[in-house]
Amino acid sequence: SLLQPPPRAMRVFVPILTLLAFGAAAAKPSAGLKTWGRFSRLPYPGDKAFLHGTFPENFIWAVGTAAYQVEGAFDKDGKGLSIWDTFTRGGNRMATGDVGSDSYHNVHADVRALRQLGVSHYRFSLSWARIFPNGTRGSLNERGAAYYRALLRRLREIRVQPVVTLYHWDLPEQLQRSLGGWSHPDMVAIFRDYADFCFRAFGDDVKLWITVDNPFVVAQHGYGTGVVAPGVKNDPDLPYRVGHNLLKAHAAAWHLYNRHYRPRQRGKVSMALASHWIKPSRTRLESLRECQCSLDHVLGWFAQPLFVDGDYPACMKERLGSRLPSFTQEERERVRGTADFFALSHGATLSFQLINDSLKFGQLEDLDLRMLLYWVSAEYGKPPIFVVQSGWYVLGNTKTEDPKHMYYLKRFIAEALKSIVIDGVNVIGYTAWSLIDGFEWHREYGIRRGLYYVDFNTPDMKREPKTSATFYRNVIHRNGFPELPENRPAQGVFPCHFAWGVSANSIQVETAPTQFADPSVYLWNISNNGELIKLEGFSAPPLRRAAHCADYATVRQQVCLPNVGVNHFHFALNWSALVPTGDVAHPNATLLRYYRCFTRQLLLANVTPVVTLWHHTRQRSSLPAPLDAANKKTPQAFADYARLCYRELGSSVKMWITLNEPNDEMVSYQEGHEMLRAHALAWHVYDREFRRTQGGKVSLALHMDWVEPAFSFSREDVEPAKRVLDFSVGWFAEPVFGSGDYPAGMRSWLRQLNSLELPVFNEKDRRLVKGTYDFFAMSHFSSKLVTHAKEDSYTYTAMLEVQHMIDTTWIMSPRPVVPWGLRKALNWVKEHYSDVPIYVMANGVQEDPARFKDSLRVYYLYNYINEALKAHTLDGVNLKGYFAYALNDQRAPGFGLYGHVHEEVIVKASLSNYRNIIQHNGFPLPGAAPQQCPASPQPCLGCGVLDKSPVVGFLSLVGSGVLITLGLIIYYTTKRHKEYY
């Protein structure tokens, strides 16, 4: 069902009043140069986060079309030929707009679409050749004028205000033939006369006029490159003469309206100017000036004469010289100030398609509407800005599912909202482009830009709302993106015994103790700078005692995790190094001793070890050489290896992960089958032989990034999302936590594809695997969107028939940062496997290792943990623990809470923030009474000292012992002395 538009009476005329405050005199050339510096200083990533909020009460919500693209009826009812009717019949062009979307015969369908969307304004253009077939008043075609009167009447009936464009690229062919079109100065008077008729004939119903759409494309590509009609090329100076005439024609029409029609009709007139956005390739002032010059050559070419001083930008004049026409002083005065608002076009028509590399001046083009809006506001004296065209496109074979277009719309609208709320830019309206599919200029029918799908093969050009139409309708209905309860940060705390941890794929291993490996003798310069001075020719006698766990320097350095604040540490053993031959009868005793020391020292530091037996990697580096993942003997070998680890380390380890992230997309179904058997055998070994005496828990940890339907209201997208989760998570989860078999959806899909790759569990293996868990452990890092509509072959998975994509408003680094995805993943586990205890075993983000003020990771941890709290407190998810990934950059470059510069360990900002969350056990309400929990174990004393040089640590401990001894002697001496009295 379609949402009804909100009441709009008393609303449609109000935006016009905001235009009166604009005055061009405040504009200063090159004032926009500050834009790039200003945005580079905004807080990251907070400024990039999605802003929930609403637009001003009287914001203009519009949608638009252009006559040649949609009207059709190119020779009906007296219409004359336009330059596009001729252009599309020449050269190598394959299609025409003769019929387009046939809006000429489908006004009722277009009006119905407008009513369904709930827009306040509809931007459309008049076909000059439909009204004046040969371009001049003497050829007036009354039936053409009647068509537009009827359209305006229908708009009035549904209370939608028109925004009328006089010229949207379709010049009458007769004017091109007789005069050379816009290259001739006589076009100024001819256009003025055409505008005069339109103002008189339609002006009582029109309050917003656009004289010319995108004069840059008309001049540069119509009369320069020849990419669009009339296709003139080979004169490099002609575009500037055409642009000159377009500006003077616009000014003539504006003065005409201002003098003769504004007093009664009270409308506003502007020129629709389009622009790309550009960012510097280097952080130098020269690059910024080149960016400014690039914008001047596209947008400033027309905007500076209108909004600043009636003349072209200095950069253009310097680089083009005599090629650029000049205005007389009188012409400058006549052109300057002839725009009542800034009509800005942005999106697919220009960006990345019709901007020549030569106009980028070595800089980088970017799609940033927000920065462009700020630049326009700064450069042109804060005018009211009406975005009169914005949007993106999808391929021509796309039907009603166009999530790509929808997410670009979301991005551009969200940027407009930030521009208003954060940047203080006076944006008064937004126009989604376009209402319906049509003829897309030089792209013909190769792309679609409509919110409504048009079936060009049906006689009546049937219109159907697309995904993007439903999205835009909802945005209009809500007037933006109002904050919903689920968008707000949660306040509350986790349970008292919540496991706070940090994960590492592996740990640094020593094969020999290093505490007393240095036999040198040092002199401690205690009276001066405390420096240790090596005494040459002296050495200490050999140490005559057994090695202790504390002798391993790497153990001491890695186990002082109370500095992080965590009470759990997750790391993986190296199976291939621990049992190199695959035979557990001959383990690496040295490495086993090290692991034993490591886990014991963790316990002494009041940190619970969580140990993975096999961290699966694509390179199989952790699998002993004689074994192979698909080998049917591997599961039993793994069970034997697990038994060795349980026996040797089980007194210290009470939480085991058999397999860490085995559900890798590179793993074959047969390999996965054997991995499941290996896990199950290892679980049963613990259950039968060790659980009673050791009291630990065992499970496997699955990688589980969230998969969201690109359009959640579409069954066509919901099913692919379920399918991807079945194949990525359910593949391992369902046999263990569910039925003992692979997901039914997975089997049926493969059967549909006639695939026999998925192994079958016999009854013995089903009983072996089912229920082999004590908790559900997941690694979660990011989220992605899926849709069934194929758009990009690079991100399309043919076997699953799903298109992968992202929401363009998401923060990227390099994977999307989507905190709410964790909450949805946790709820998926709860819905599928009831009240199973869940641990988030790894959660982190990659950031430049050189950024020790790692603001992205601070943002990431805060928001992901907050979503975990929502899952626990609001959704009833049985969440038992959270582990940040990773401990340091050495083992996981870019993910660490600790950084490293040469040999120096650097504490990143995220570490203290994570520690603060742990200390508060979440996000307690301000002023709330402290959570009453049993006393926590004391932290590891002396860790800070032992992190330093081993000798310094040893001497410090000795010094502490001497001080304590002296204190006791003094105390008892004094006490004895007092007893004599």
Side-chain angles (χ1 to χ4, degrees), residues 958-980:
V958 171
S960 299
V962 170
L963 290 174
I964 292 170
T965 303
L966 287 173
L968 290 172
I969 292 172
I970 293 170
Y971 171 77
Y972 284 109
T973 301
T974 304
K975 184 177 180 182
R976 188 180 303 114
H977 180 71
K978 287 183 178 180
E979 288 175 355
Y980 287 122

PDB file of all heavy atoms in Angstrom, residues 958-980:
ATOM      1  N   VAL A 958      64.204  -6.359  43.761  1.00  0.00           N
ATOM      2  CA  VAL A 958      65.174  -6.480  44.865  1.00  0.00           C
ATOM      3  C   VAL A 958      65.126  -5.230  45.729  1.00  0.00           C
ATOM      4  O   VAL A 958      65.112  -5.291  46.963  1.00  0.00           O
ATOM      5  CB  VAL A 958      66.595  -6.712  44.304  1.00  0.00           C
ATOM      6  CG1 VAL A 958      67.621  -6.607  45.423  1.00  0.00           C
ATOM      7  CG2 VAL A 958      66.673  -8.077  43.626  1.00  0.00           C
ATOM      8  N   GLY A 959      65.105  -4.056  45.086  1.00  0.00           N
ATOM      9  CA  GLY A 959      65.059  -2.803  45.838  1.00  0.00           C
ATOM     10  C   GLY A 959      63.818  -2.720  46.706  1.00  0.00           C
ATOM     11  O   GLY A 959      63.872  -2.256  47.850  1.00  0.00           O
ATOM     12  N   SER A 960      62.676  -3.167  46.134  1.00  0.00           N
ATOM     13  CA  SER A 960      61.441  -3.150  46.920  1.00  0.00           C
ATOM     14  C   SER A 960      61.572  -4.038  48.148  1.00  0.00           C
ATOM     15  O   SER A 960      61.135  -3.680  49.250  1.00  0.00           O
ATOM     16  CB  SER A 960      60.272  -3.622  46.047  1.00  0.00           C
ATOM     17  OG  SER A 960      60.105  -2.761  44.944  1.00  0.00           O
ATOM     18  N   GLY A 961      62.214  -5.207  47.971  1.00  0.00           N
ATOM     19  CA  GLY A 961      62.389  -6.112  49.105  1.00  0.00           C
ATOM     20  C   GLY A 961      63.272  -5.501  50.183  1.00  0.00           C
ATOM     21  O   GLY A 961      63.008  -5.637  51.383  1.00  0.00           O
ATOM     22  N   VAL A 962      64.324  -4.812  49.778  1.00  0.00           N
ATOM     23  CA  VAL A 962      65.212  -4.154  50.749  1.00  0.00           C
ATOM     24  C   VAL A 962      64.452  -3.094  51.530  1.00  0.00           C
ATOM     25  O   VAL A 962      64.570  -2.991  52.762  1.00  0.00           O
ATOM     26  CB  VAL A 962      66.426  -3.530  50.018  1.00  0.00           C
ATOM     27  CG1 VAL A 962      67.220  -2.643  50.967  1.00  0.00           C
ATOM     28  CG2 VAL A 962      67.310  -4.633  49.441  1.00  0.00           C
ATOM     29  N   LEU A 963      63.651  -2.281  50.834  1.00  0.00           N
ATOM     30  CA  LEU A 963      62.886  -1.232  51.517  1.00  0.00           C
ATOM     31  C   LEU A 963      61.901  -1.818  52.526  1.00  0.00           C
ATOM     32  O   LEU A 963      61.751  -1.301  53.640  1.00  0.00           O
ATOM     33  CB  LEU A 963      62.147  -0.374  50.485  1.00  0.00           C
ATOM     34  CG  LEU A 963      63.038   0.537  49.614  1.00  0.00           C
ATOM     35  CD1 LEU A 963      62.191   1.214  48.533  1.00  0.00           C
ATOM     36  CD2 LEU A 963      63.721   1.598  50.480  1.00  0.00           C
ATOM     37  N   ILE A 964      61.228  -2.883  52.111  1.00  0.00           N
ATOM     38  CA  ILE A 964      60.271  -3.512  53.035  1.00  0.00           C
ATOM     39  C   ILE A 964      60.999  -4.052  54.266  1.00  0.00           C
ATOM     40  O   ILE A 964      60.546  -3.900  55.408  1.00  0.00           O
ATOM     41  CB  ILE A 964      59.510  -4.629  52.310  1.00  0.00           C
ATOM     42  CG1 ILE A 964      58.594  -4.016  51.227  1.00  0.00           C
ATOM     43  CG2 ILE A 964      58.698  -5.462  53.295  1.00  0.00           C
ATOM     44  CD1 ILE A 964      57.974  -5.056  50.304  1.00  0.00           C
ATOM     45  N   THR A 965      62.143  -4.684  54.032  1.00  0.00           N
ATOM     46  CA  THR A 965      62.920  -5.233  55.158  1.00  0.00           C
ATOM     47  C   THR A 965      63.369  -4.130  56.108  1.00  0.00           C
ATOM     48  O   THR A 965      63.248  -4.251  57.336  1.00  0.00           O
ATOM     49  CB  THR A 965      64.145  -5.991  54.619  1.00  0.00           C
ATOM     50  OG1 THR A 965      63.701  -7.004  53.722  1.00  0.00           O
ATOM     51  CG2 THR A 965      64.935  -6.606  55.753  1.00  0.00           C
ATOM     52  N   LEU A 966      63.894  -3.019  55.571  1.00  0.00           N
ATOM     53  CA  LEU A 966      64.309  -1.887  56.407  1.00  0.00           C
ATOM     54  C   LEU A 966      63.135  -1.340  57.204  1.00  0.00           C
ATOM     55  O   LEU A 966      63.255  -0.988  58.387  1.00  0.00           O
ATOM     56  CB  LEU A 966      64.909  -0.784  55.531  1.00  0.00           C
ATOM     57  CG  LEU A 966      66.307  -1.072  54.946  1.00  0.00           C
ATOM     58  CD1 LEU A 966      66.698   0.020  53.955  1.00  0.00           C
ATOM     59  CD2 LEU A 966      67.327  -1.154  56.082  1.00  0.00           C
ATOM     60  N   GLY A 967      61.983  -1.285  56.566  1.00  0.00           N
ATOM     61  CA  GLY A 967      60.804  -0.784  57.266  1.00  0.00           C
ATOM     62  C   GLY A 967      60.436  -1.648  58.449  1.00  0.00           C
ATOM     63  O   GLY A 967      60.089  -1.149  59.527  1.00  0.00           O
ATOM     64  N   LEU A 968      60.478  -2.965  58.260  1.00  0.00           N
ATOM     65  CA  LEU A 968      60.145  -3.881  59.353  1.00  0.00           C
ATOM     66  C   LEU A 968      61.149  -3.759  60.498  1.00  0.00           C
ATOM     67  O   LEU A 968      60.783  -3.789  61.684  1.00  0.00           O
ATOM     68  CB  LEU A 968      60.112  -5.317  58.827  1.00  0.00           C
ATOM     69  CG  LEU A 968      58.946  -5.651  57.878  1.00  0.00           C
ATOM     70  CD1 LEU A 968      59.139  -7.040  57.265  1.00  0.00           C
ATOM     71  CD2 LEU A 968      57.622  -5.597  58.649  1.00  0.00           C
ATOM     72  N   ILE A 969      62.433  -3.617  60.156  1.00  0.00           N
ATOM     73  CA  ILE A 969      63.464  -3.477  61.201  1.00  0.00           C
ATOM     74  C   ILE A 969      63.218  -2.223  62.029  1.00  0.00           C
ATOM     75  O   ILE A 969      63.262  -2.236  63.260  1.00  0.00           O
ATOM     76  CB  ILE A 969      64.861  -3.446  60.561  1.00  0.00           C
ATOM     77  CG1 ILE A 969      65.189  -4.814  59.951  1.00  0.00           C
ATOM     78  CG2 ILE A 969      65.929  -3.031  61.567  1.00  0.00           C
ATOM     79  CD1 ILE A 969      66.465  -4.827  59.123  1.00  0.00           C
ATOM     80  N   ILE A 970      62.953  -1.112  61.322  1.00  0.00           N
ATOM     81  CA  ILE A 970      62.705   0.154  62.045  1.00  0.00           C
ATOM     82  C   ILE A 970      61.477   0.033  62.929  1.00  0.00           C
ATOM     83  O   ILE A 970      61.458   0.479  64.078  1.00  0.00           O
ATOM     84  CB  ILE A 970      62.546   1.305  61.028  1.00  0.00           C
ATOM     85  CG1 ILE A 970      63.887   1.550  60.316  1.00  0.00           C
ATOM     86  CG2 ILE A 970      62.053   2.565  61.699  1.00  0.00           C
ATOM     87  CD1 ILE A 970      63.783   2.505  59.132  1.00  0.00           C
ATOM     88  N   TYR A 971      60.419  -0.597  62.387  1.00  0.00           N
ATOM     89  CA  TYR A 971      59.180  -0.732  63.139  1.00  0.00           C
ATOM     90  C   TYR A 971      59.405  -1.510  64.433  1.00  0.00           C
ATOM     91  O   TYR A 971      59.017  -1.080  65.524  1.00  0.00           O
ATOM     92  CB  TYR A 971      58.129  -1.426  62.272  1.00  0.00           C
ATOM     93  CG  TYR A 971      56.875  -1.811  63.023  1.00  0.00           C
ATOM     94  CD1 TYR A 971      55.909  -0.838  63.338  1.00  0.00           C
ATOM     95  CD2 TYR A 971      56.662  -3.125  63.423  1.00  0.00           C
ATOM     96  CE1 TYR A 971      54.776  -1.189  64.022  1.00  0.00           C
ATOM     97  CE2 TYR A 971      55.526  -3.479  64.106  1.00  0.00           C
ATOM     98  CZ  TYR A 971      54.565  -2.500  64.401  1.00  0.00           C
ATOM     99  OH  TYR A 971      53.447  -2.863  65.080  1.00  0.00           O
ATOM    100  N   TYR A 972      60.033  -2.697  64.336  1.00  0.00           N
ATOM    101  CA  TYR A 972      60.211  -3.517  65.534  1.00  0.00           C
ATOM    102  C   TYR A 972      61.225  -2.907  66.507  1.00  0.00           C
ATOM    103  O   TYR A 972      61.127  -3.064  67.714  1.00  0.00           O
ATOM    104  CB  TYR A 972      60.625  -4.943  65.137  1.00  0.00           C
ATOM    105  CG  TYR A 972      59.456  -5.735  64.614  1.00  0.00           C
ATOM    106  CD1 TYR A 972      59.342  -6.061  63.268  1.00  0.00           C
ATOM    107  CD2 TYR A 972      58.441  -6.148  65.489  1.00  0.00           C
ATOM    108  CE1 TYR A 972      58.255  -6.768  62.794  1.00  0.00           C
ATOM    109  CE2 TYR A 972      57.356  -6.867  65.011  1.00  0.00           C
ATOM    110  CZ  TYR A 972      57.268  -7.177  63.678  1.00  0.00           C
ATOM    111  OH  TYR A 972      56.197  -7.876  63.208  1.00  0.00           O
ATOM    112  N   THR A 973      62.211  -2.181  65.989  1.00  0.00           N
ATOM    113  CA  THR A 973      63.173  -1.505  66.881  1.00  0.00           C
ATOM    114  C   THR A 973      62.467  -0.444  67.701  1.00  0.00           C
ATOM    115  O   THR A 973      62.666  -0.316  68.921  1.00  0.00           O
ATOM    116  CB  THR A 973      64.298  -0.872  66.046  1.00  0.00           C
ATOM    117  OG1 THR A 973      64.950  -1.901  65.304  1.00  0.00           O
ATOM    118  CG2 THR A 973      65.305  -0.169  66.936  1.00  0.00           C
ATOM    119  N   THR A 974      61.619   0.330  67.053  1.00  0.00           N
ATOM    120  CA  THR A 974      60.879   1.391  67.749  1.00  0.00           C
ATOM    121  C   THR A 974      59.941   0.789  68.778  1.00  0.00           C
ATOM    122  O   THR A 974      59.816   1.273  69.912  1.00  0.00           O
ATOM    123  CB  THR A 974      60.084   2.234  66.734  1.00  0.00           C
ATOM    124  OG1 THR A 974      60.981   2.741  65.760  1.00  0.00           O
ATOM    125  CG2 THR A 974      59.367   3.367  67.416  1.00  0.00           C
ATOM    126  N   LYS A 975      59.273  -0.293  68.404  1.00  0.00           N
ATOM    127  CA  LYS A 975      58.322  -0.931  69.311  1.00  0.00           C
ATOM    128  C   LYS A 975      59.021  -1.453  70.564  1.00  0.00           C
ATOM    129  O   LYS A 975      58.557  -1.273  71.696  1.00  0.00           O
ATOM    130  CB  LYS A 975      57.623  -2.080  68.575  1.00  0.00           C
ATOM    131  CG  LYS A 975      56.545  -2.761  69.391  1.00  0.00           C
ATOM    132  CD  LYS A 975      55.835  -3.835  68.571  1.00  0.00           C
ATOM    133  CE  LYS A 975      54.760  -4.503  69.392  1.00  0.00           C
ATOM    134  NZ  LYS A 975      54.105  -5.580  68.640  1.00  0.00           N
ATOM    135  N   ARG A 976      60.190  -2.083  70.343  1.00  0.00           N
ATOM    136  CA  ARG A 976      60.935  -2.626  71.469  1.00  0.00           C
ATOM    137  C   ARG A 976      61.409  -1.494  72.380  1.00  0.00           C
ATOM    138  O   ARG A 976      61.407  -1.586  73.596  1.00  0.00           O
ATOM    139  CB  ARG A 976      62.127  -3.453  70.954  1.00  0.00           C
ATOM    140  CG  ARG A 976      62.832  -4.207  72.077  1.00  0.00           C
ATOM    141  CD  ARG A 976      64.000  -5.025  71.563  1.00  0.00           C
ATOM    142  NE  ARG A 976      63.584  -5.956  70.559  1.00  0.00           N
ATOM    143  CZ  ARG A 976      63.960  -5.881  69.292  1.00  0.00           C
ATOM    144  NH1 ARG A 976      64.748  -4.907  68.914  1.00  0.00           N
ATOM    145  NH2 ARG A 976      63.548  -6.780  68.431  1.00  0.00           N
ATOM    146  N   HIS A 977      61.803  -0.369  71.775  1.00  0.00           N
ATOM    147  CA  HIS A 977      62.281   0.778  72.550  1.00  0.00           C
ATOM    148  C   HIS A 977      61.157   1.324  73.436  1.00  0.00           C
ATOM    149  O   HIS A 977      61.377   1.660  74.594  1.00  0.00           O
ATOM    150  CB  HIS A 977      62.789   1.863  71.589  1.00  0.00           C
ATOM    151  CG  HIS A 977      63.290   3.086  72.287  1.00  0.00           C
ATOM    152  ND1 HIS A 977      64.470   3.104  73.016  1.00  0.00           N
ATOM    153  CD2 HIS A 977      62.756   4.340  72.367  1.00  0.00           C
ATOM    154  CE1 HIS A 977      64.654   4.306  73.522  1.00  0.00           C
ATOM    155  NE2 HIS A 977      63.622   5.076  73.139  1.00  0.00           N
ATOM    156  N   LYS A 978      59.956   1.341  72.892  1.00  0.00           N
ATOM    157  CA  LYS A 978      58.837   1.869  73.680  1.00  0.00           C
ATOM    158  C   LYS A 978      58.505   0.962  74.846  1.00  0.00           C
ATOM    159  O   LYS A 978      58.039   1.416  75.890  1.00  0.00           O
ATOM    160  CB  LYS A 978      57.608   2.026  72.787  1.00  0.00           C
ATOM    161  CG  LYS A 978      57.747   3.216  71.825  1.00  0.00           C
ATOM    162  CD  LYS A 978      56.485   3.377  71.000  1.00  0.00           C
ATOM    163  CE  LYS A 978      56.586   4.587  70.084  1.00  0.00           C
ATOM    164  NZ  LYS A 978      55.373   4.753  69.275  1.00  0.00           N
ATOM    165  N   GLU A 979      58.714  -0.338  74.681  1.00  0.00           N
ATOM    166  CA  GLU A 979      58.356  -1.267  75.741  1.00  0.00           C
ATOM    167  C   GLU A 979      59.207  -1.059  76.998  1.00  0.00           C
ATOM    168  O   GLU A 979      58.830  -1.431  78.105  1.00  0.00           O
ATOM    169  CB  GLU A 979      58.512  -2.704  75.233  1.00  0.00           C
ATOM    170  CG  GLU A 979      57.405  -3.076  74.232  1.00  0.00           C
ATOM    171  CD  GLU A 979      57.638  -4.446  73.648  1.00  0.00           C
ATOM    172  OE1 GLU A 979      58.692  -5.052  73.946  1.00  0.00           O
ATOM    173  OE2 GLU A 979      56.765  -4.917  72.895  1.00  0.00           O
ATOM    174  N   TYR A 980      60.398  -0.463  76.835  1.00  0.00           N
ATOM    175  CA  TYR A 980      61.249  -0.219  78.001  1.00  0.00           C
ATOM    176  C   TYR A 980      60.668   0.858  78.885  1.00  0.00           C
ATOM    177  O   TYR A 980      61.053   1.005  80.026  1.00  0.00           O
ATOM    178  CB  TYR A 980      62.666   0.132  77.549  1.00  0.00           C
ATOM    179  CG  TYR A 980      63.419  -1.072  77.009  1.00  0.00           C
ATOM    180  CD1 TYR A 980      63.921  -1.048  75.710  1.00  0.00           C
ATOM    181  CD2 TYR A 980      63.633  -2.198  77.795  1.00  0.00           C
ATOM    182  CE1 TYR A 980      64.598  -2.128  75.207  1.00  0.00           C
ATOM    183  CE2 TYR A 980      64.314  -3.276  77.282  1.00  0.00           C
ATOM    184  CZ  TYR A 980      64.798  -3.241  76.010  1.00  0.00           C
ATOM    185  OH  TYR A 980      65.489  -4.315  75.504  1.00  0.00           O
TER     186      TYR A 980
END
